[in-house]
Amino acid sequence: MTPDDAYQWLMQNSLETAYLISMGHVLGWDQRTHIPPNGHAHRHNQFAMLAMWIPARAPDPQVGDHLARVEGSGLTSDPGEVAAVNVREWRRDYDRATKIPQELAVALAKATAEGETAWEQTRPGNDWETFKPFLVKIVTLKREEAQALGCATEPYDAHLDSFEPGETATALAPLLAQLREALIGILAAIQGSSRRPRTEIVHRHCPIPAQERLARLAAQAIGYDFAGGRLDPTAHPFSTGIGPGDVRITTRYDEHSFSQALFGTLHETGHALYDQGLPVEHWGTPRGDAVSLGIHESQSRLWENLVGRSMGFWRHFYPRAQEAFPVLQGVDLEDFHFAVNAVKPSLIRTEADEVTYNLHILLRFELERALMNDDLQGDDLPGAWSDKLQAYLRLTPPDFSQGVMQDIHWSAGLFGYFPTYTLGNLYAAQFFARAELDLGPLEDNFARGDFAPLLNWLRDRIHSQGHRLWARPLVREVTGADLDPRYLVRYLQRKFGALYGFDGETET
Amino acid sequence: MTPDDAYQWLMQNSLETAYLISMGHVLGWDQRTHIPPNGHAHRHNQFAMLAMWIPARAPDPQVGDHLARVEGSGLTSDPGEVAAVNVREWRRDYDRATKIPQELAVALAKATAEGETAWEQTRPGNDWETFKPFLVKIVTLKREEAQALGCATEPYDAHLDSFEPGETATALAPLLAQLREALIGILAAIQGSSRRPRTEIVHRHCPIPAQERLARLAAQAIGYDFAGGRLDPTAHPFSTGIGPGDVRITTRYDEHSFSQALFGTLHETGHALYDQGLPVEHWGTPRGDAVSLGIHESQSRLWENLVGRSMGFWRHFYPRAQEAFPVLQGVDLEDFHFAVNAVKPSLIRTEADEVTYNLHILLRFELERALMNDDLQGDDLPGAWSDKLQAYLRLTPPDFSQGVMQDIHWSAGLFGYFPTYTLGNLYAAQFFARAELDLGPLEDNFARGDFAPLLNWLRDRIHSQGHRLWARPLVREVTGADLDPRYLVRYLQRKFGALYGFDGETET
């Protein structure tokens, strides 16, 4: 078999896997939007079948044989070329899949399925003691998995690398520590300010049909293509890229918080704009994939926060919001903008603002890194959580369910996932700063309702690049600089300095 | 490998195939209800992948090896037992799949894909001459397929057997000839009557939201479980059994014909009630499947016509319809019932009434049988169509698009499919007659809104039996008699004799 034939085999194999995954996306969308109540058991069985088929394809020895025929051939000589990118990622997936022993994979699947169920059952009753052994078991298995996968410097690296290829704790920790100190400083300045936003504004009663119209208008305004997508209501908002021409978003409506649906829609639209901009001709192969969870999150955060919570956006959009929601008609634009940017430390990550959100993530990063590296034991987790929450946010969780048990991630085995949220914020700020260097002050565009220059810039430099580069090299190529938390810090200092009236230009 | 192990392998193989098919049903439902406009190309690719995977599983030599190990073992000694039923059907599928040469399967797939496209493109312009060579090609290949499959007495049998296992032209033709003569007689009596229904009643303006509420009410009234299903609008109504607890129906609304959505809903509900009543514990294996297209159609026709167009049904339901549609408030129940049972020969099968519908089918049965047996050539098809339409309905098609080109079936290679519609009507009438013997006059129940005795009877004797028996033995077991067209003839004579005022008790 020639390298060309081997490459064609790998392409077909990649596409078949992608089609199975893409069918799963249709099943998942349907499950969360339209499935009848009694249909869930069968849907779980369908997913179980996919969960048997899809991972079973990855360690197929034929993949290894074909990769060996292609690697070192002329096909992969230029690392920037399509074939080289595809082979690089297929190799990575194959090596990861073959390194994990079958028994460990089964034990992990079982432990995380049980862990999620235990979490769902014990969290409402705040029952940490019952939940703990499930978590401890998962931590033990995830440590074994890290050993099996191998790691540059510490076990936690193997998990970081699962979600953010190439990222390591050693490279990431100093950046996050720098961010942490800056955020604590910004938060102190905010809390020292006498200015307070009128937060009741965002809790006024807004009927859901009007919210839905506004959410559609917002998604369309920033460039979401409804001919290739849909917006539906769900309990938990998400975006799903079924395939070319079919990238769907959902949002959640609350009559007493229009901002939930609106910013939720902008967030999911950000994810969807990335998927709608991926190179169609490479669909189903690595070259056509997104880079990583962090880069995906950078797109959602950029549109939700750097665009959607900017004064420029609201100069354009506020008259539309006032038309949709008569309760806003007496409210000044400035008061409204301050209200949707209120900063207030809270116990729950998912409700956090732009400043405190990353402190929630840093807490988790530090704790899960210590767990994986055996520097922290399950018994000590709630105490460590409380200590850090006190140090970063000056809050103490009143119970486990609002503390160490608040997120499902760990019970699902998702260690190394949380940092991708903050990486997304770091990337977003650095991308946005570069876009303004290239395009001029973007808020002026937003105020005119013109979001196309920014979207086109992202399309050209990020979306259309697919998985050509990993995240750090992509950041370097796009922005001309290494990943640097000072972009995010400077953005937050300026924005919240102006809102809360402190000097936003402090150097960090 | 023991017979038990071989049987377990076949069970797993059957389930995996069923899950792939069931995923296709979700994709199909989504495609016809919610897919965004630009999502169709990717959906076609997903279906193409399923169309590659699913048929490729059938002739797998491992299936043959495992079947050989099970057959003749103790597992299959009692033909009524689950294992014997499953093995019987797996054998049938395997033999059919292995008999068709790969080149013929590919040629057929290509010819029918091209045939459907040609039909879609040539029908609007009435362009028979352009369409004809595509049809001739398909007829030639379908004859080859029949030869490859083998047949009892004539090539057409192989195709009949595809949709109605065990059925043959020799067994079926005399029953259909008997039906044809009786129908021509009933139609003559109707056309000789001076009574005419007020058909304008069904074309009064009825707003779609009210139609939708009534359609839901009707589906629920006859026993459709909305906790395990949904009703959505689509261009072409259908029912799809995704799996246990998830059987969905759709209907089409027309503001100027409420009967389209209502009877369409009852029809699809009939299909869905069958699927909702199949034995869940055998899902994914033959024992849990429906018997055949004809038996499936018997359930839809039974609920649409024998129940839904009965006076008993409307005694219960008409006040609800009048409440939903104020335009009906001055209309007598008797006039209304007559209007929804109007008989009028028409050119188009899908718009036909209970009497003339089967004459449309008999025409197609006779023509496609002649085509398959090489007794009729493509050139002579339009003439033969006109002759039969004149003989049966005293109509002449003004053009090809309302004649020989009106249905997509032949261009999709579906020969042997049409008779299942009439078989469905025959089975339905015979089942219904037996149910009334067992349960007493059912219209009295319907008039009280009580459809449960009939549904429970069908559940017990037909739905829960899955694919234990083929259609003819099932009819014999359920009704105590061989399939006999006189049940349908007697039902039509009585009903339309009463409506149009002729002697309905003529013996046939």
Side-chain angles (χ1 to χ4, degrees), chain B residues 337-357:
Chain B
H337 179 247
F338 196 8
V340 299
N341 281 291
V343 173
K344 187 165 191 287
S346 66
L347 293 163
I348 304 298
R349 173 184 63 87
T350 57
E351 296 165 6
D353 54 75
E354 279 188 87
V355 174
T356 60
Y357 187 88

Side-chain angles (χ1 to χ4, degrees), chain B residues 143-289:
Chain B
R143 281 193 201 130
E144 287 179 33
E145 188 187 38
Q147 291 303 335
L149 288 168
C151 43
T153 49
E154 56 179 83
Y156 186 56
D157 286 350
H159 300 308
L160 264 182
D161 183 68
S162 302
F163 303 109
E164 207 64 16
E167 196 57 74
T168 65
T170 310
L172 188 56
L175 306 187
L176 297 188
Q178 190 182 348
L179 176 65
R180 187 186 60 213
E181 296 317 309
L183 292 175
I184 290 172
I186 294 170
L187 185 56
I190 288 170
Q191 291 186 314
S193 162
S194 59
R195 294 196 198 165
R196 288 285 173 272
R198 291 170 51 202
T199 51
E200 62 80 20
I201 293 167
V202 299
H203 296 294
R204 295 185 180 178
H205 182 265
C206 295
I208 289 173
Q211 288 196 40
E212 203 189 326
R213 283 196 302 276
L214 201 71
R216 281 181 186 281
L217 204 61
Q220 199 149 29
I222 65 172
Y224 179 73
D225 178 10
F226 274 97
R230 308 175 42 90
L231 172 63
D232 294 86
T234 47
H236 300 282
F238 65 98
S239 158
T240 182
I242 290 170
D246 196 350
V247 180
R248 309 184 187 182
I249 54 177
T250 74
T251 195
R252 172 174 44 197
Y253 298 98
D254 176 346
E255 283 186 331
H256 299 287
S257 167
F258 75 87
S259 66
Q260 185 169 92
L262 187 72
F263 292 109
T265 299
L266 289 170
H267 181 96
E268 301 308 333
T269 303
H271 282 302
L273 288 173
Y274 188 10
D275 284 344
Q276 288 188 331
L278 289 170
V280 173
E281 65 277 22
H282 297 299
W283 186 87
T285 65
R287 181 62 178 78
D289 274 354

Side-chain angles (χ1 to χ4, degrees), chain A residues 137-255:
Chain A
K137 175 80 186 165
I138 291 167
V139 169
T140 305
L141 291 169
K142 292 298 283 186
R143 280 192 202 132
E144 285 179 33
E145 188 187 39
Q147 291 303 334
L149 288 169
C151 42
T153 50
E154 57 180 81
Y156 186 58
D157 287 350
H159 299 308
L160 264 182
D161 182 67
S162 302
F163 303 109
E164 208 65 15
E167 196 58 74
T168 66
T170 310
L172 188 57
L175 305 187
L176 297 187
Q178 189 183 347
L179 176 64
R180 186 185 61 215
E181 296 318 307
L183 292 175
I184 289 171
I186 294 170
L187 185 57
I190 288 170
Q191 291 184 315
S193 163
S194 59
R195 296 196 197 165
R196 287 286 173 273
R198 290 169 52 200
T199 52
E200 62 78 23
I201 293 168
V202 299
H203 296 294
R204 295 184 181 179
H205 182 263
C206 296
I208 289 173
Q211 289 196 39
E212 204 190 324
R213 283 196 300 278
L214 202 70
R216 280 179 189 280
L217 204 61
Q220 199 149 29
I222 65 173
Y224 179 73
D225 177 9
F226 273 97
R230 304 176 45 90
L231 171 63
D232 293 86
T234 47
H236 299 280
F238 66 97
S239 160
T240 183
I242 289 170
D246 196 351
V247 180
R248 307 183 188 184
I249 54 177
T250 74
T251 195
R252 173 173 44 198
Y253 298 98
D254 176 347
E255 284 188 330

